[in-house]
Amino acid sequence: MKILVTGASGFLGPHIHAALAEAHEVRGLCRNPTADWMVAGDVLDPAALAAAMAGCTAVVHAAGGVSHSQRDAGTMERVHVAGTRAVLDAAREAGVSRVIHVSTSGTVAVSRDPDFIADEDGPDVLPLVKGWPYYRAKLFAEQAALAAEGLDVV
């Protein structure tokens, strides 16, 4: 299986590569490649996504950044939400059979109740995370991924 990992040079990318590379052919997409398995590109660039996904059967979408500063809210929105939508669109166009969307605990595991046990069926977390640009963007990105039509997304 040929798998594309977005965010290949980030915090998770090299670990994802290491876990997959023994059994699969792995290509990484990142803005600044640091290894021979990586190609240069941005998740907001449809041409770069199309080229990176060519021949892939799965995508692990782990690209993004982390900031809790309000001044970075626009960047978090572009990278996480628009970037996720672009990856989903490119995957659909490329005929990719599965997209693994990497999210964060801030989309389900938050509560003001210290005894809260989180799962995907818990209450809407937006009222708690709306002031945190990273968590808000990851929540909207996850919602977009899970609502994607024509793709097998987890």
Side-chain angles (χ1 to χ4, degrees):
M1 178 180 283
K2 184 185 253 184
I3 302 170
L4 174 66
V5 177
T6 68
S9 63
F11 181 71
L12 295 176
H15 299 287
I16 295 168
H17 174 263
L20 295 174
E22 289 184 29
H24 305 285
E25 181 182 344
V26 181
R27 175 184 301 145
L29 177 74
C30 57
R31 288 177 289 157
N32 301 301
T34 58
D36 63 354
W37 61 277
M38 299 175 186
V39 297
D42 190 293
V43 294
L44 294 170
D45 179 351
L49 284 169
M53 282 193 203
C56 290
T57 54
V59 175
V60 178
H61 177 43
V66 177
S67 176
H68 299 296
S69 171
Q70 288 300 327
R71 74 174 184 273
D72 295 326
T75 299
M76 293 296 100
E77 182 82 13
R78 279 188 304 281
V79 170
H80 293 289
V81 183
T84 295
R85 288 185 177 130
V87 167
L88 295 167
D89 290 344
R92 195 176 296 107
E93 287 293 316
V96 169
S97 61
R98 169 153 284 186
V99 176
I100 296 94
H101 175 77
V102 178
S103 193
T104 183
S105 62
T107 65
V108 294
V110 293
S111 174
R112 288 190 171 90
D113 177 357
D115 298 320
F116 177 70
I117 298 175
D119 67 22
E120 292 81 1
D121 297 322
D124 180 13
V125 300
L126 184 58
L128 292 172
V129 302
K130 66 183 176 186
W132 297 85
Y134 171 73
Y135 294 119
R136 183 179 62 235
K138 289 298 282 186
L139 175 63
F140 294 153
E142 182 178 295
Q143 290 170 347
L146 295 175
E149 293 186 17
L151 290 169
D152 181 15
V153 179
V154 294

